[in-house]
Amino acid sequence: MRRALVLTLVWELVSEIVGWAGSLLIQPNKSDTTAAVASQLLPGEHLSHFEAIWVRWDGSWYALLGSQGYGPHVSNLDAFFPAYPLLIHIVGIPLGGRYLLAGIVINRLLLFPTVVIFMKLVRRDEPGDGRETELAPLMILLIPGAVFLLGALTETLFVFACLAAMLAMRRERWLLAGAACALATGTRLPGVVLVGTLALELLLRRDWLRAVYCSAIGMAGIGLFSLYTLITQHDLLGFKNAYKHGSWNDQTFTLNVLRGPLRYFHEMLADPPTKNYGGIVTFGYLAALALVVVLAVLCIRRLSWPLRFFVVGTALIPLLSGSMFSYYRYAMIPLLPMMVLATRWLSRRPQWRDSAVLALASLAIFDIMAFASGHWVS
């Protein structure tokens, strides 16, 4: 626990320094209007430079929801699920209405328990001589896409909910697992896959009744959100219809999960990574998908059937939109069970372990510097 706390605090401090350096050394992205949007949405709130570098893109919208809530009609805001904005509202009140700051504080506070739960999962799933639990904090802190655990986004809360549900399932604390699933479905749509994971775990144990009511508890997050939009906006699927507004018009449901990868592959050929930063981002999307596929092939036999369902489901849901937009962010979730296995495997192989940690740290530093300077990395 002490090791986890020290490493978490050190990583947060290092990230702050790296982010500050990146914002000064890298030319800011001129198309990033986050600061202007935040000042318009929340005119009375002013962030220091050290704080502002972590509020990017959707962070402003979450802070707006935390301060004002949803509107009377379906809009692009309804695409954002309510659990994280609700926490922002709760934390923002004692902070004197500084809701942008609240979004950052929540994730920094949640990062330590997230690391601890991951350590417990590694130790419980793969008991050994302790080397794997020493490596575990670094593996989760440096997971591909780790920068999103630091910014004012939903990743930390969602990862926390997923890991908590997995640990509760391993300990056969089914009501707690259902509550964690409810938090996940109230945070992001892929939470429904976590509910399916819990249901499958119970069905394989032939515990039919518990599978029904624990799944019902797990669906409470998205269910209450749908009920809210039905009552206030007369639209049960407000979170889905929100994609008709804003800049998401190209994302429509399709069962052709290859549509997005093929589209982005052609875009990368036309705009290669060596040409400009946009090509690097497109390459990152495809590389994230390739990483998930390769690790799934290597790890799938060592995963239980419920975790196989979790990996495949959370990897496919973003592709059902016919796009790979932000897939680098989404890829963090299916990687979670495989990172547990990778931690154990690397802990027994020091020569591979050090190389893997160095590679992950290098990627994380690149992401942090790009993120802090306003460049799109998701």
Side-chain angles (χ1 to χ4, degrees):
M1 294 285 283
R2 285 194 297 269
R3 178 182 176 84
L5 178 59
V6 170
L7 285 175
T8 302
L9 293 176
V10 168
W11 176 239
E12 290 182 342
L13 177 61
V14 169
S15 299
E16 200 69 42
I17 296 172
V18 170
W20 171 77
S23 66
L24 297 179
L25 297 175
I26 300 176
Q27 183 177 359
N29 181 10
K30 295 181 180 179
S31 64
D32 177 36
T33 59
T34 302
V37 171
S39 62
Q40 292 175 5
L41 297 177
L42 301 153
E45 188 169 350
H46 302 284
L47 295 176
S48 69
H49 184 69
F50 281 99
E51 298 164 342
I53 58 177
W54 300 111
V55 181
R56 298 295 180 191
W57 309 302
D58 295 345
S60 300
W61 299 114
Y62 283 118
L64 177 65
L65 287 171
S67 64
Q68 301 180 15
Y70 299 91
H73 305 288
V74 173
S75 68
N76 63 320
L77 290 178
D78 292 274
F80 304 111
F81 280 49
Y84 183 54
L86 179 59
L87 282 178
I88 289 178
H89 180 74
I90 294 172
V91 175
I93 293 175
L95 289 177
R98 300 189 66 189
Y99 297 103
L100 289 169
L101 178 61
I104 303 171
V105 169
I106 289 167
N107 287 344
R108 298 304 172 88
L109 293 178
L110 279 177
L111 193 54
F112 172 60
T114 301
V115 171
V116 171
I117 294 173
F118 183 78
M119 289 179 64
K120 291 180 178 294
L121 267 174
V122 169
R123 184 177 59 186
R124 189 168 181 84
D125 284 350
E126 303 284 350
D129 58 7
R131 288 178 297 181
E132 66 278 359
T133 52
E134 291 183 359
L135 178 61
L138 287 175
M139 294 295 284
I140 190 62
L141 288 171
L142 299 177
I143 188 174
V147 64
F148 302 112
L149 298 175
L150 301 167
L153 298 165
T154 58
E155 265 64 29
T156 312
L157 181 61
F158 192 72
V159 169
F160 170 80
C162 289
L163 294 178
M166 291 176 190
L167 182 61
M169 283 187 274
R170 296 299 294 177
R171 295 183 172 181
E172 299 184 5
R173 300 179 66 177
W174 307 115
L175 289 177
L176 184 59
C181 288
L183 178 60
T185 58
T187 305
R188 284 169 61 174
L189 181 60
V192 299
V193 179
L194 187 64
V195 176
T197 304
L198 172 60
L200 184 57
E201 180 75 43
L202 289 168
L203 290 174
L204 291 175
R205 296 168 180 262
R206 299 181 183 277
D207 197 342
W208 319 112
L209 179 60
R210 190 169 281 154
V212 172
Y213 70 73
C214 285
S215 298
I217 293 173
M219 291 297 290
I222 191 172
L224 290 174
F225 186 36
S226 296
L227 181 62
Y228 171 81
T229 57
L230 177 63
I231 295 174
T232 60
Q233 303 169 351
H234 309 291
D235 191 339
L236 185 65
L237 298 177
F239 63 88
K240 175 182 177 296
N241 295 327
Y243 284 87
K244 298 177 182 177
H245 305 271
S247 59
W248 300 317
N249 293 328
D250 65 333
Q251 299 189 42
T252 55
F253 177 77
T254 175
L255 292 177
N256 181 9
V257 295
L258 295 178
R259 175 183 165 189
L262 291 175
R263 169 186 163 189
Y264 278 74
F265 179 74
H266 290 303
E267 286 187 8
M268 189 184 68
L269 292 179
D271 189 13
T274 56
K275 186 177 179 181
N276 56 45
Y277 187 77
I280 295 177
V281 174
T282 304
F283 173 78
Y285 294 154
L286 295 171
L289 177 61
L291 177 64
V292 171
V293 172
V294 170
L295 285 180
V297 171
L298 294 175
C299 299
I300 202 74
R301 293 183 62 183
R302 297 196 60 194
L303 294 173
S304 65
W305 277 104
L307 289 181
R308 293 177 187 178
F309 175 82
F310 178 83
V311 169
V312 174
T314 53
L316 287 180
I317 275 190
L319 300 179
L320 296 176
S321 66
S323 170
M324 288 190 67
F325 186 69
S326 296
Y327 198 85
Y328 186 48
R329 281 178 65 187
Y330 299 133
M332 181 192 301
I333 308 306
L335 284 176
L336 292 175
M338 297 184 284
M339 291 293 283
V340 173
L341 298 179
T343 302
R344 175 65 178 181
W345 190 87
L346 289 170
S347 68
R348 293 179 173 180
R349 296 163 176 82
Q351 68 280 12
W352 286 92
R353 177 196 62 205
D354 297 341
S355 300
V357 170
L358 180 60
L360 290 174
S362 300
L363 178 61
I365 289 172
F366 171 82
D367 287 342
I368 289 171
M369 295 184 75
F371 186 96
S373 56
H375 291 274
W376 187 255
V377 295
S378 67

